[in-house]
Amino acid sequence: MAQSHAEREMAVKARTASRALQALRSEDRVAILNRIAESLEQHEQHIMAENALDVEAAGGGKVSDALLQRLILKPSKIQQLADGIRAIAKQEEPIGRLLSRLEVAEGLVLDKVTSPIGVLLVIFEARPDALPQIASLAIRSGNGLLLKGGKEAMRSNALLHRLIVDAVAEVAPGVGRDVIGLVTRRDEIDGLLKLNDVIDLVIPRGSNELVSYIQNNTRIPVLGHADGICHIYVDAAANLQQATAICIDSKVDYPAACNAVEKILVHDSLQGQPLESLVKALQDAGVSVHGGERTVAALGLPAAPSVRHEYSSMDVTVELVSGMDEAIEHIHANGSGHTECILTDDQAAADDFLRRVDSACVFHNASTRFSDGYRFGLGAEVGISTARIHARGPVGVEGLLTTRYLMRGKGQTVEKDKAVTYTHKALPLS
Amino acid sequence: MAQSHAEREMAVKARTASRALQALRSEDRVAILNRIAESLEQHEQHIMAENALDVEAAGGGKVSDALLQRLILKPSKIQQLADGIRAIAKQEEPIGRLLSRLEVAEGLVLDKVTSPIGVLLVIFEARPDALPQIASLAIRSGNGLLLKGGKEAMRSNALLHRLIVDAVAEVAPGVGRDVIGLVTRRDEIDGLLKLNDVIDLVIPRGSNELVSYIQNNTRIPVLGHADGICHIYVDAAANLQQATAICIDSKVDYPAACNAVEKILVHDSLQGQPLESLVKALQDAGVSVHGGERTVAALGLPAAPSVRHEYSSMDVTVELVSGMDEAIEHIHANGSGHTECILTDDQAAADDFLRRVDSACVFHNASTRFSDGYRFGLGAEVGISTARIHARGPVGVEGLLTTRYLMRGKGQTVEKDKAVTYTHKALPLS
């Protein structure tokens, strides 16, 4: 009970401080970011020392080698972080951007402008370099932030957090240190996930298990995705050489990524040599090819574990379908709404697929691996959302913003809609 | 258990049918709407007869007079409904609207387009005329729909629903009747509210109690607001005559509306004659004026029930504040984030208020009653949202839409970002 009270207080303080942050002039938020970048550079030795303690504690096989690699900071990485924060500082001011302007009636003008969301809860795993990145995005967009990092990076995170809130307090004492709270214990997360009246958005960055756990244990909207079960449909009119290259890239470029292909649906007419060539090319590229019901029978492939399976490894399922309709039905029944792709030289078929497939990203003749915030030109990537409201697909800073309506009048009243004459005329934005 | 299974089946069928609906050509969705309008006109006598049975059953004081009035359909209302549906049919196609276009690399183009959300659950109270309106908005925007109306309008709703799904099945047999499900029992709602994997958005239209209940009993995102605790801040530099007119209109134009003012914060410097005139003018307009701590002491006003109170009646609280900072703090601490207004002739003060107040709608010198979808020029109003994600403030059809990314390539692969040169060049939208 006392525990839950402490978490509420932390969230409420972050909201209050976030309002002071949004009330700053743009140049003051920029100054905070530049001070953070400078402070990271100045404290490089100290950061390295704390990080070394984290790395030492995680050594001796206590964590996987991949996790250990992600945990390690290097001077070059700290410089990259500082440069990245200065790049965020240089971006166009995201708050108060005019989205639409309408003359409601003579002398009564309605603006729709971008606005910070409020308080974000971001949960991330081992990488300590995620902390300054997320904090900088939150500050740039005027949001309060509660952060929970991986316990392996405890000391690194504590120092990075302290340097950041010190910089906030120094440049903007009216905002203060509470605008970014650091959560250190796992059990505090459960308390925070209950605060749907104070926290506006949860962003889990980590394993599918983490995301699923969050999604199943909170009423706060969650930005992210638990599954990335991406499909490629190889149409009858596919250019087979190109299709083969795209299928291989979509898997082998980064097999553990959420945008890697997990299932390739092949048109019936490609049975025989074309299908066998595709399977062989995948195998030659090091991919273990599994079969659906029909390809197990036709090609003797080993059966896939299930009709809906995310391998996240150098494995893929290949199955035959009777055509576009069956492919789309299969995707809707077994996909996760992340990214799907059609490979074809038939423009009408491509248009049909792009129109009908109900996924965040739908591609024609391009690798599923393009489904990514950086490749989509969003600058920083906050996450990839398979939710259908607020933000869908790769999400950049705009996912940390909402809108407000601002109306400027000259004393107008409504009086049963008889006091003004509605004109509802769109006005130019500049 | 069997019960919950039936509800899931209903929702899954609505999702499948919604995908067929979105796959139609625009003119086919328009044809469905025109057929619905025609059918309502053709069945006017039948609708009136079923409605009369509802009205009869609700008579004899079983329901409030206000509810009874909302329950009654008249031939003129049915004609209005048909006309409204034809107007929705004439609107610009909402699906597939191009929001942005980016050249990712040479020959690789990324479009962001509008897209239906999926399956909506709309819960509304007594008014049966809401059913065809909501159904038409859902069809226009390509969404599946589950509807729960008030039990008083049971017979009217059943017939209206039947006419609508008959029209869908007639014009688009591939979509079929399942695209709009009618829920008739209250206990089914609890089952549906659990289906956060199949239902994408809940829109409760009704009392604050209904909305609060929904918000507290589902993980599905809810579009709406439980409270409308709107504030007006009368600044030192207010034009008092104009301020008085706006304060009166903001309350008396429709005291039960969510956008009616509940609390008027008055700058200290207006103590004495200006404040007393404002209070007297409100009282002369029939408003019961309550006081906060300071106005109870200064003017002997009866004390307000609490510092945060939604009257929804011809009552208002008037309180003194020391200035803008206290007014904004008061609003953030006690408001519901719906609509707040500053009355002042000081442009800098107005700009400051509009920049700092964290509410869906922030006004300068205009009645809070303007906070409304029709007055905001949105056409049909889906609801007013005080949530901070997806849609905020008055919401039109765009609240029933999400986005998809469509990427068109020529065979591009990623290959560790070495296979293409990213250009990230914005392209014109037409």
Side-chain angles (χ1 to χ4, degrees), chain A residues 23 200 249 253 354-355 357 360 362 364-365 375 388 392 402-405 407 409 411 414-417 424, chain B residues 23 249 253 354-355 357 360 362 364-365 375 388 392 402-405 407 409 411 414-417 424:
Chain A
D200 301 297
D249 185 69
D253 188 55
L354 264 60
R355 190 164 57 88
V357 172
V362 193
H364 172 214
N365 286 353
R375 294 179 193 122
R388 288 153 182 278
R392 193 179 192 197
T402 179
T403 58
R404 290 187 307 147
Y405 279 111
M407 187 179 252
V414 169
E415 297 173 39
K416 313 282 179 207
D417 292 315
H424 290 152
Chain B
D249 186 68
D253 189 55
L354 264 60
R355 189 164 57 88
V357 173
V362 193
H364 172 215
N365 287 351
R375 293 178 194 123
R388 287 153 183 279
R392 194 180 191 196
T402 180
T403 58
R404 290 187 307 147
Y405 279 110
M407 187 179 253
V414 169
E415 297 172 41
K416 312 284 179 205
D417 293 316
H424 290 153

Side-chain angles (χ1 to χ4, degrees), chain B residues 37 46 79 88 106 121 147 209-210 232 236 251 257 261 325 354 373 378 406:
Chain B
H46 192 177
Q79 189 56 56
I88 292 172
E106 204 196 316
L121 169 61
L147 274 170
E209 292 68 34
L210 171 72
I232 290 177
K251 174 48 84 175
V261 66
D325 287 344
L354 264 60
L378 301 176
L406 306 181

Side-chain angles (χ1 to χ4, degrees), chain A residues 119-275:
Chain A
V119 177
L120 318 173
L121 170 60
V122 179
I123 301 163
F124 60 103
E125 292 184 337
R127 292 173 48 220
D129 45 325
L131 194 151
Q133 286 170 333
I134 297 165
S136 302
L137 289 171
I139 291 169
R140 192 71 179 102
S141 56
N143 287 291
L145 179 63
L146 304 176
L147 274 171
K148 167 73 173 75
K151 68 173 186 317
E152 297 79 9
M154 198 175 56
R155 292 179 189 82
S156 315
N157 285 340
L159 176 58
L160 290 167
H161 175 253
R162 185 164 68 73
L163 295 175
I164 290 166
V165 295
D166 281 351
V168 175
E170 184 189 325
V171 179
V175 176
R177 309 170 57 91
D178 293 331
V179 74
I180 301 178
L182 183 66
V183 179
T184 51
R185 296 201 322 276
R186 175 77 189 226
D187 62 330
E188 289 173 287
I189 290 295
D190 291 315
L192 289 167
L193 291 177
K194 293 196 176 77
L195 302 177
N196 55 317
D197 57 331
V198 202
I199 299 173
D200 301 297
L201 189 65
V202 185
I203 307 177
R205 294 172 47 140
S207 66
N208 296 1
E209 292 67 35
L210 172 71
V211 181
S212 290
Y213 177 82
I214 304 291
Q215 286 174 333
N216 293 326
N217 286 281
T218 188
R219 281 193 199 141
I220 308 170
V222 178
L223 196 154
H225 63 93
D227 304 313
I229 305 178
C230 304
H231 291 76
I232 290 176
Y233 166 54
V234 185
D235 184 53
N239 170 330
L240 289 174
Q241 193 185 340
Q242 194 182 81
T244 304
I246 289 178
C247 287
I248 290 173
D249 185 69
S250 296
K251 174 48 84 177
V252 310
D253 188 55
Y254 191 168
C258 59
N259 56 17
V261 67
E262 304 293 353
K263 196 163 203 170
I264 299 169
L265 302 170
V266 179
H267 191 277
D268 262 348
S269 64
L270 302 174
Q271 272 199 77
Q273 196 270 324
L275 172 62

Side-chain angles (χ1 to χ4, degrees), chain B residues 34-44 47 86 163-164 166-167:
Chain B
N34 287 328
R35 181 70 195 97
I36 292 172
E38 193 183 44
S39 180
L40 293 183
E41 289 168 348
Q42 287 167 348
H43 292 83
E44 185 192 289
I47 296 169
R86 290 194 178 99
L163 295 175
I164 291 166
D166 281 351

